Every structure is written in C-alpha cells, then in structure tokens.
Amino acid sequence: MCLNTLGQKGWSALPARDFPEGFLFGAATSSHQVEGGNDNCDWWDWELAGGAKDLSGTACEHYERYPEDIALLRSLGLNSYRFSLEWSRIEPEPGRFETRELEHYRDMALACRAQGVEPIVTLHHFTLPRWLSEKGGVLAPGSTERFAAFCGAAADALEGAARYIITINEPMILVLMGYVDGVWPPGRKSYPAAVAAAQRLVRWHRAAYDRIRARHPDMLLGIAKHWIDFQPLDKGSAAHRRGAALQHYLFNRWYLRAIRRSQDFIGLNYYSTRYVTSLTQGVPLASEDEPRTEMGWSISPQGLTRALRGLREFRLPIMVTENGIAAKDDGQRLAYLLDHLAAVRAAMREGIPVVGYQYWSLLDNFEWAEGYRPQFGLVHIDRDTQARTVRPSGERYGEIARTGRLAEPGGS
Ligand code: IFM
C-alpha cells in the first residue's frame, strides 16, 4: 500500500479504481453566494449600487438550511464539502468577534464530520466587512493585521473540527475584477492599485499562515488558486506565444511562487482555456462555433491536465478546489464533469498527487455580478420556494464518488 503526503491510502489501487480510496469527492459553495442576508459586507452595497444583475437577497438560505444541504450532499455519496466563512458576520466591527457566529461555522464543520464529510473551510471568499471596505478594503492601512487576526480567531474556533483551511479564494481574480476591470468592488481600474493589491494579498496569506501555523500545527493550509489555461490563439504567432507565456506567469504562477513556503497543499480552481493574442489581450473561445458554457467560457478538459502538470513545480499535494460549468442543459454539465474527472485521472496516472476534487457548485447560487442566471449547481434551487432538486449529473457524480470508478458498470 502507498501513502501520499497527506496520508491517504491506495495509490497502488489506481488500476482497479479510477480514484483511490479516501479521494475527496465533494462540492463547493461560498458564504455570500448561498447564505442570504449578508448585509454587512461590501458586496451587499455593490449590489444595491447596481453592480450586479440581481441582488443576492436570501440567496439559498444556506445559513439556516446548511444541515439539510450537508445531508443532501452526503446522501449523494460525496465525502467532502468546501464552504466559506463570512468575515462580515464574524467581525461586524473592527476587533469585535461574535462568538455566536464563530460557533455557527464550527457547527457547520462538525455537522460535516458527524456525517463522514471532510470539511474544507475557506476563510475569505471575495467579500469584505463594510468597515474594512470603507477604510480602503485590501489596501486599507493595517488590513494585513486585521486579516491575520480574523483568521486566527476563525482557526481557533475550528480547532478539532476542520483540517483543511483555505485562507484566500482566488486572490488574482479579486485583483483582476476589482482593480483592473473594475467590475467588482472596489470598482477600480488602475494597474498600480492592482499591483499593490496583489502584493498586499500575498502578505495577507503569509500573515494568516504564520498565525494559524503557530497555534494549529495539524491544520493543512493553502489557498484556492484560479488557474487559467492560457494558450496562444495562433500557435504560429510569436506575439501570441509571448503573450500567453507572460499572462501565464503573471496570473497563474506569480502568486503561488510568492507564497511557496507558506502552503501545505495547493488548491486549484480551474474552469477553461483562454486564447491569447498579445501581452494583455485574449479571447475566451478559439472560434465562434466552439462549444461554450453559459458564462461564454471555452470547455477544455485538457487544460485541467495541463494545469495539474504546471503545479508539479511546487511539489505539494493538490486539491481541485473548484471546477464546474454553468449550463441550462444538465447533459452538458454531466459531460463536462466526466471529461474533467477523466482529465484529473490522466494527471494522477502521470504520478501527480491529486487528493480531491470539489465540483463548483453544490447549489445554484448567486454568481456575483452575473446574478442568479448562471446555474452551476448539482442541485437546482427553486428561487420562489427554495426547494432543492438534485440534477441527474449530481446523482451520477455521487455514484462515481461511491465507487471510485468513472466508467458506468460494463463500460470501458
Ligand atoms: O462562483 C465563482 C466562485 O465564487 C469563484 N470561482 C469561480 C466561480 C464561478 O465563476
């Protein structure tokens, strides 16, 4: 029997199963996208100011309904759940930590554990408490110390309940959307501010890592890194190739290299390939007739295998912390899921230590500026009644999780 560095059994069983026993098959959500009523954060204000196509409002009422949602995830056969804490609930005013809210999230992690579900907890998933955004958000003086204090309090509350901790979700997406494109809070379009924000988010992670590591040696710490598979639109063009290489370095590698000594595992969020035409430009699709998701993104499972290969340089276990599709047609979702799981399997067969896969998302939810139209969920949410309905893709994914096999019985 083999053990990987996180102590999972069964790499030697790969030929019999497609995924080893103990592989973490799960699904992910984030607080603001599913909880509802997060009226003390920057996104709430952004929505009211017209920055999103819908108001998040009651979202999926997951703050109250999490026991039934975790039970549903478990009933499918999944063995892990990635969710996030809402900083604005936990620290509604600077330095005032709400014990009740810390207990709420500890209870969520314990509810997972009680059902044999591994909780994977994200501490920061895009939203900021209003008091911090009013002072300048990520770039506010002292924001690093504030973030580290919040993470320290959160980790103390999660001690013994959660092992996998993700400090920050997709720092470079936050920089891109909030400081380059200006379509998310704080709505800036400034390269100098973007560079400063990226550097500050490196400090946030390092400070949080040090704070948590000092008190909780058993926790496994990382980030969830959004990775775009940058490819030259025209492989014959030197300008396209140079552009792809630069964007790959700046977006995919720079942050991970900056925090390379402060990670126990790598969290990978992967969705699609982007076709690059210059140092700063690119298009989501190689051609107009290429299949795409409801977000307009390309569908490119081979990009996931390439991403996993690219992460080899960090010599750490890798968890796919997000991968999924917004699709009206659940058949398209299932095809995407199967093809991307096959892409993970291909990487594992090359010896890349992937320890889990979290589909985005468990529930149809609030897709930030795009509102509620894109449906990523394994579980459909009726927006009027909040009724949960498992989609066939969710059932099939659960079967894969239970058996560790990708092929249907009798299939190849
Ligand atoms: O919904 C988001 C999530 O919050 C972060 N990663 C990408 C998802 C789909 O856009």
Side-chain angles (χ1 to χ4, degrees), residues 29-30 33 82 125-126 169-170 173 184 226 269-271 295 297 321-326 360-361 365-368 370 374 376:
T29 62
S30 90
Q33 293 177 272
R82 177 178 172 226
H125 195 120
F126 296 149
N169 179 72
E170 299 184 345
I173 287 287
W184 285 10
H226 193 119
N269 292 3
Y270 170 80
Y271 287 87
M295 299 291 282
W297 301 342
T321 38
E322 280 182 32
N323 173 241
I325 179 171
W360 182 272
S361 174
N365 61 43
F366 177 70
E367 177 54 25
W368 306 110
E370 295 304 315
F376 281 88

Side-chain angles (χ1 to χ4, degrees), residues 87-132:
W87 185 358
S88 64
R89 288 183 188 265
I90 291 175
E91 194 180 357
E93 292 166 20
R96 182 165 71 79
F97 291 96
E98 285 282 359
T99 309
R100 200 170 48 89
E101 298 292 349
L102 288 165
E103 278 169 2
H104 170 87
Y105 293 109
R106 179 179 174 79
D107 288 348
M108 277 183 83
L110 290 174
C112 290
R113 282 230 169 287
Q115 306 207 36
V117 170
E118 180 78 41
I120 301 160
V121 183
T122 309
L123 304 182
H124 179 264
H125 195 120
F126 296 149
T127 54
L128 292 176
R130 179 175 295 115
W131 57 262
L132 184 58

Side-chain angles (χ1 to χ4, degrees), residues 221-225 256 263-268 311 314-321 355:
L221 308 173
I223 64 158
K225 179 71 188 79
L256 284 173
Q263 290 194 101
D264 304 319
F265 71 96
I266 307 251
L268 167 67
L311 291 171
F314 298 102
R315 298 173 182 282
L316 286 172
I318 303 165
M319 164 105 65
V320 178
T321 38
V355 299

Side-chain angles (χ1 to χ4, degrees), residues 347-368:
M348 292 170 77
R349 285 183 173 164
E350 292 174 16
I352 298 171
V354 186
V355 299
Y357 173 93
Q358 307 298 315
Y359 177 81
W360 182 272
S361 174
L362 177 64
L363 310 171
D364 286 344
N365 61 43
F366 177 70
E367 177 54 25
W368 306 110

Side-chain angles (χ1 to χ4, degrees), residues 178-294:
Y179 292 85
V180 177
D181 295 344
V183 293
W184 285 10
R188 298 195 55 185
K189 292 185 185 177
S190 152
Y191 281 119
V195 171
Q199 288 169 338
R200 184 65 69 89
L201 288 170
V202 166
R203 280 188 226 122
W204 276 28
H205 172 76
R206 286 189 189 143
Y209 180 92
D210 290 346
R211 182 74 61 104
I212 300 171
R213 176 53 69 243
R215 291 174 59 91
H216 306 283
D218 293 340
M219 285 182 171
L220 297 165
L221 308 173
I223 64 158
K225 179 71 188 79
H226 193 119
W227 178 291
I228 297 173
D229 176 49
F230 293 104
Q231 297 295 325
L233 179 62
D234 172 3
K235 286 194 169 60
S237 154
H240 291 199
R241 287 198 308 272
R242 263 199 307 276
L246 181 77
Q247 293 193 40
H248 169 62
Y249 176 75
L250 291 178
F251 186 86
N252 290 335
R253 289 180 67 225
W254 174 80
Y255 192 97
L256 284 173
R257 287 174 67 84
I259 62 161
R260 67 184 311 159
R261 280 183 242 293
S262 313
Q263 290 194 101
D264 304 319
F265 71 96
I266 307 251
L268 167 67
N269 292 3
Y270 170 80
Y271 287 87
S272 69
T273 294
R274 186 169 173 81
Y275 299 92
V276 175
T277 51
S278 75
L279 296 181
T280 54
Q281 302 297 309
V283 288
L285 300 166
S287 70
E288 266 313 302
D289 47 15
E290 196 186 341
R292 67 196 73 184
T293 76
E294 285 286 308

